[in-house]
């Protein structure tokens, strides 16, 4: 069946939510995603109000052979939330979060952002591992693994997933959990958006907050020493601490920022942080005892929507003095303007105590990941900024693993997609054969059916 005005009208009549077509009011806003590099024109956008809308949209797309893109928070750097000439199933109208404080669980709809989620759960003093920028969607982040400030104490976001309601490629609503559709549940925890549309996620929560959080910034001439200290201190740290180290141009000048979140007892955390706070002569120290949501908002202003983004990342294999010197030398030789950063993210802890095959996310042994990130406003600067990002990553690459976190992966070709799913790739292909043999869900770092 081809798409025509009559069947589009019928679809519109069935929906509780909204339908956007090209030229209609709201269409241009509805097709925008977080990364301004992405400019795609879908044939239709269905902003779903509930599960029945999701099912209706999947059936319509299958009948009309329109490709489907699924939008959660719209943060994917490759822009997989939108596609040209296809149907976007937009979950941003589905953001209900309900918390059970006795069981310490939360159920959140597929379009919820981490800002919505933290707000709802922190009312009860609870939280789970989630993204470090509040506008990021729980959907893409959890399905790819989900690193965040609590990841060393409580594991990845996907490690806290208890169950998911999923609309599969044939439009059926199923539940996946440790007791039901266990194979699908395994694949949803790291296999990305390849297996279906998750209309609601149920998470385990934990008592969190207040925390010790904030950042210390060292001037660039102390970056080498501070980064060596960071490597040793963060590697030996208790699970309660997550600390990221970032070479960046800050409003106070270029330097190394170490951002911390300690989610355990405050007096114990003060002792853990003392060696950092006694180090060198920092330009700034904002670490304090604050609500968890305050720390979760530290980067909100730094990442507004509508900027151009280039990201390239991998896990750190060799965090040697040589690696530190090479990376600091590169950054110091030609300090880039804001916002160009090289960040070491702190992994390990509980993440590494879960087996590589227990969930689809397999990169469990890394202690740190490295992310080269450049954002800018002026499209004329795209070529130069991407070139800087590539050059920077090339300098760091000899010290990195071949594996990559799927949610930080750009449009980097088939081999890198395989590297992202790592040791679990073949099992994921088998799961794809079972749940989506026609590859209906193919825009998010695709696992192709055999
Ligand atoms: C500013 C910024 C900060 C970030 N911070 C972090 C971080 O702290 N930790 C981290 O791990 N990652 C982080 N990321 C990366 C992030 O995990 C990915 O960009 C992820 O895809 C975001 O999810 P989303 O729902 O917002 O994305 P979208 O672009 O909406 O979705 C990406 C893909 O995920 C799938 N998807 C999304 N929702 C659903 C759903 N409900 N059901 C089925 N499939 C779905 C779809 O295939 C979709 O194409 C960040 C990204 C940005 C831009």
């Amino acid at each position: 069946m081809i798409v025509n005005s009559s069947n589009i009208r019928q679809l519109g009549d069935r929906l509780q939510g909204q339908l956007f077509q090209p030229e209609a009011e709201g269409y241009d806003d509805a097709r925008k995603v977080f990364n301004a590099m992405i400019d795609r024109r879908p044939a239709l956008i269905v902003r779903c109000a509930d599960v029945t809308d999701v099912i209706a949209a999947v059936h319509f797309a299958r009948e009309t052979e329109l490709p489907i893109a699924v939008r959660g928070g719209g943060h994917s750097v490759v822009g997989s939330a939108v596609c040209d000439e296809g149907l976007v199933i937009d979950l941003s109208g589905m953001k209900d979060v309900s918390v059970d404080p006795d069981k310490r669980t939360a159920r959140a709809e597929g379009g919820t952002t981490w800002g919505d989620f933290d707000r709802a759960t922190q009312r009860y003093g609870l939280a789970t591992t989630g993204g470090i920028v509040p506008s990021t969607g729980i959907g893409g982040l959890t399905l790819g693994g989900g690193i965040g400030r609590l990841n060393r104490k409580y594991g990845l976001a996907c490690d806290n997933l208890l169950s998911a309601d999923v609309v599969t490629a044939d439009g059926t609503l199923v539940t996946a959990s440790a007791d039901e559709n266990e194979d699908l549940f395994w694949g949803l925890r790291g296999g990305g958006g390849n297996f279906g549309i998750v209309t609601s996620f149920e998470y385990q929560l934990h008592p969190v907050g207040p925390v010790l959080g904030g950042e210390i910034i060292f001037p660039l001439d102390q970056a080498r020493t501070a980064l060596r200290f960071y490597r040793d201190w963060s590697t030996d740290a208790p699970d309660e601490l997550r600390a990221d180290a970032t070479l960046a141009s800050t409003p106070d000048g270029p330097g190394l920022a170490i951002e911390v979140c300690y989610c355990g007892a405050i007096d114990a955390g003060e002792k853990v942080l003392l060696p950092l706070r006694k180090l060198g002569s920092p330009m700034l120290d904002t670490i304090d005892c604050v609500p968890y949501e305050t720390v979760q908002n530290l980067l909100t202003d730094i990442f507004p929507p509508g900027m151009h983004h280039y990201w390239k990342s991998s896990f750190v294999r060799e965090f040697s003095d040589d690696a530190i010197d090479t990376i600091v030398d590169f950054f110091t030789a030609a300090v880039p303007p804001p916002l160009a950063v090289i960040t070491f993210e702190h992994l390990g802890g509980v993440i590494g105590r879960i087996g590589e095959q227990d969930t689809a996310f397999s990169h469990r042994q890394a202690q740190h990941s490295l992310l080269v990130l450049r954002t800018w406003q002026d499209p004329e600067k795209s070529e130069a900024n991407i070139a800087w990002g590539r050059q920077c990553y090339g300098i760091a690459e000899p010290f990195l693993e071949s594996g990559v976190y799927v949610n930080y992966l750009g449009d980097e070709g088939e081999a890198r997609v395989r590297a992202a799913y790592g040791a679990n790739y073949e099992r994921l292909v088998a799961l794809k054969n079972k749940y989506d043999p026609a590859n209906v869900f193919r825009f998010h770092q695709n696992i192709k059916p055999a």
Side-chain angles (χ1 to χ4, degrees):
M1 181 169 79
I2 55 159
V3 185
N4 56 42
S5 53
S6 154
N7 53 30
I8 291 176
R9 201 168 40 249
Q10 282 169 13
L11 171 66
D13 288 346
R14 256 188 286 159
L15 296 174
Q16 305 297 313
Q18 291 167 282
L19 183 63
F20 299 96
Q21 294 182 64
E23 320 305 336
E25 203 187 327
Y27 172 81
D28 279 327
D29 273 342
R31 72 186 180 88
K32 266 190 206 139
V33 289
F34 191 77
N35 184 359
M37 297 285 285
I38 310 297
D39 180 18
R40 302 203 180 115
R41 301 189 67 82
L44 287 175
I45 301 171
V46 173
R47 184 165 295 156
C48 302
D50 60 18
V51 180
T52 63
D53 282 358
V54 176
I55 294 172
V58 170
H59 282 303
F60 182 84
R62 297 296 307 261
E63 283 157 16
T64 55
E65 294 180 13
L66 280 178
I68 293 177
V70 179
R71 180 191 183 114
H75 266 230
S76 148
V77 174
V78 280
S80 59
V82 283
C83 59
D84 280 323
E85 294 170 15
L87 187 150
V88 172
I89 300 184
D90 175 357
L91 305 176
S92 66
M94 295 172 60
K95 287 170 173 258
D96 269 3
V97 184
S98 58
V99 180
D100 184 330
D102 297 326
K103 288 194 188 144
R104 291 185 178 160
T105 59
R107 185 172 281 285
E109 285 188 305
T112 305
T113 64
W114 286 106
D116 306 324
F117 188 89
D118 289 338
R119 225 174 356 265
T121 57
Q122 277 288 283
R123 288 181 57 207
Y124 301 95
L126 300 170
T128 204
T129 305
I132 64 172
V133 176
S135 52
T136 313
I138 64 165
L141 186 137
T142 304
L143 295 170
I147 63 181
R149 294 187 174 93
L150 305 176
N151 60 201
R152 288 169 45 79
K153 177 71 178 164
Y154 297 117
L156 302 168
C158 75
D159 298 332
N160 290 282
L161 189 64
L162 296 174
S163 72
D165 291 338
V166 187
V167 175
T168 56
D170 61 4
T172 311
L173 180 66
V174 301
T175 297
S177 71
D179 308 314
E180 245 178 301
N181 299 302
E182 300 92 311
D183 55 352
L184 178 60
F185 186 54
W186 176 86
L188 294 176
R189 290 174 292 158
N194 278 287
F195 303 106
I197 304 176
V198 180
T199 54
S200 108
F201 294 84
E202 186 194 9
Y203 296 93
Q204 183 68 59
L205 302 176
H206 314 274
V208 175
V211 298
L212 276 173
E215 62 179 351
I216 291 195
I217 305 179
F218 297 94
L220 205 48
D221 61 4
Q222 294 172 38
R224 204 176 303 264
T225 313
L227 203 45
R228 283 183 186 168
F229 165 85
Y230 165 79
R231 170 196 56 201
D232 300 337
W233 173 74
S234 65
T235 304
D236 294 338
D239 293 351
E240 285 77 8
L241 179 73
R242 165 152 153 161
D244 294 347
T246 301
L247 282 161
S249 293
T250 76
D252 299 292
L256 181 86
I258 300 184
E259 193 219 276
V260 302
C261 175
Y262 184 91
C263 65
I266 298 300
D267 51 350
E270 277 164 354
K271 288 193 190 108
V272 171
L273 292 173
L274 197 60
L276 171 69
R277 303 188 83 178
K278 280 179 147 175
L279 185 74
S281 321
M283 302 190 277
L284 190 76
D285 178 347
T286 66
I287 298 173
D288 206 348
C289 176
V290 290
Y292 173 65
E293 273 191 275
T294 303
V295 180
Q296 283 290 78
N297 271 291
L298 281 176
L299 300 176
T300 301
D301 294 340
I302 296 178
F303 287 106
M307 301 288 284
H308 296 69
H309 283 251
Y310 175 83
W311 294 33
K312 188 132 183 176
S313 168
S314 204
F315 300 102
V316 178
R317 181 179 51 78
E318 182 192 317
F319 207 160
S320 57
D321 288 355
D322 187 21
I324 291 172
D325 288 346
T326 305
I327 291 165
V328 173
D329 284 348
F330 172 80
F331 192 82
T332 311
V335 176
L339 183 68
V341 303
I342 308 172
T343 294
F344 292 87
E345 288 185 310
H346 199 186
L347 307 173
V350 167
I351 300 173
R353 284 179 220 129
I354 295 171
E356 285 187 355
Q357 277 147 31
D358 290 353
T359 63
F361 180 93
S362 67
H363 308 285
R364 298 233 168 230
Q365 290 316 313
Q367 294 297 312
H368 296 91
S369 71
L370 179 131
L371 173 62
V372 173
L373 188 158
R374 182 125 195 189
T375 76
W376 63 99
Q377 203 149 26
D378 180 358
E380 305 253 305
K381 302 213 165 114
S382 296
E383 206 179 317
N385 288 335
I386 292 170
W388 180 89
R390 289 201 174 123
Q391 194 193 359
C392 179
Y393 186 82
I395 296 285
E397 201 166 12
F399 308 102
L400 304 177
E401 298 280 2
S402 56
V404 49
Y405 174 34
V406 72
N407 280 348
Y408 289 174
L409 183 59
D411 206 351
E412 300 173 34
E414 187 85 23
R416 286 277 280 175
V417 175
R418 277 178 176 254
Y421 296 114
N424 289 325
Y425 188 77
E426 295 308 329
R427 189 166 162 193
L428 285 163
V429 172
L431 199 64
K432 185 76 172 174
N433 291 341
K434 176 174 172 187
Y435 282 96
D436 184 16
N439 208 8
V440 169
F441 303 115
R442 59 175 174 272
F443 288 111
H444 181 237
Q445 307 298 2
N446 191 214
I447 297 159
K448 291 192 179 58

